[in-house]
Amino acid sequence: MFIHSTAGGFQVPDTVARTILCLDLGTTTGWALLTCSPAGFNLISGSWDFRPGRFDGAGIRYVRFRRQLIELITSVTVDAVFFEEVRRHVGADAARVYGALFGVVTGVCEEHCIPYEGIPVGTIKRSWTGVGNASKDLMMKQATARGYRVEDDNECDAIALAHYVHDRDVDVAAPVEPEVVRVLS
């Protein structure tokens, strides 16, 4: 886990701190929790390993991910969730895992009324390195150059996503209008 803090730079228009969660979805999921305030920002990051054990069922990684995600968003007030939006996978298994984790994230966010958004991988890489198809090695070197000590490329990608969202100046605390559902009798 890595904690990074800075004063100045990004300025939030009001005095309310905003917390966003950024995720790099996969069997090893990278995460970064970014809290922005007028004084600066704090970033805490890490990665979660959801590889099933020898005697685990096929769905246990999703049960563990859901539990970890709910624990995090209920222990800290998360105002928005951002995740890497992968549009193409090399293998079928990776696509299945990503799709299932995507379903868990969007479902948990809907249940807790938290806005969420997928950001394309190329957009994140371009904002972090200047190259839209940057290698894992280049992403990691950029993290080191920016002063981060990351455990793996998944944590690095989550940090890069947090910086992208931070730099884009997204109003992560914008209220979500509830959907009105009419029941016809």
Side-chain angles (χ1 to χ4, degrees):
M1 181 167 56
F2 183 80
I3 302 173
H4 183 78
S5 176
T6 183
F10 180 70
Q11 297 296 311
V12 176
D14 54 31
T15 59
V16 178
R18 295 182 172 117
T19 302
I20 61 169
L21 175 62
C22 296
L23 299 168
D24 174 31
L25 301 175
T27 297
T28 302
T29 294
W31 60 271
L33 195 63
L34 177 68
T35 303
C36 304
S37 72
F41 73 89
N42 292 317
L43 189 136
I44 303 170
S45 63
S47 60
W48 298 318
D49 184 2
F50 298 112
R51 279 180 290 192
R54 180 176 178 192
F55 300 107
D56 289 335
I60 195 67
R61 78 177 76 206
Y62 312 113
V63 171
R64 290 179 182 151
F65 176 63
R66 179 179 171 78
R67 183 177 57 225
Q68 193 78 39
L69 183 60
I70 290 173
E71 181 181 322
L72 180 62
I73 67 171
T74 56
S75 65
V76 178
T77 303
V78 173
D79 298 303
V81 174
F82 294 86
F83 54 88
E84 267 194 350
E85 184 179 301
V86 180
R87 295 186 177 150
R88 190 182 76 119
H89 290 277
V90 176
D93 287 342
R96 286 186 198 105
V97 169
Y98 176 84
L101 294 173
F102 172 82
V104 171
V105 168
T106 57
V108 167
C109 287
E110 292 288 348
E111 289 171 0
H112 291 86
C113 298
I114 298 172
Y116 57 89
E117 181 182 349
I119 307 294
V121 174
T123 301
I124 299 164
K125 288 183 177 207
R126 192 175 308 101
S127 74
W128 188 245
T129 66
V131 180
N133 62 348
S135 66
K136 291 179 182 187
D137 188 48
L138 182 57
M139 294 289 285
M140 297 282 284
K141 285 179 181 175
Q142 185 60 238
T144 302
R146 293 183 185 217
Y148 292 99
R149 293 181 314 258
V150 294
E151 295 292 321
D152 57 30
D153 60 286
N154 304 296
E155 180 183 6
C156 178
D157 290 349
I159 291 170
L161 175 55
H163 273 267
Y164 171 77
V165 172
H166 175 270
D167 294 345
R168 167 178 106 157
D169 193 12
V170 172
D171 184 9
V172 296
V176 177
E177 293 295 323
E179 184 178 325
V180 177
V181 178
R182 287 211 161 114
V183 178
L184 300 174
S185 50

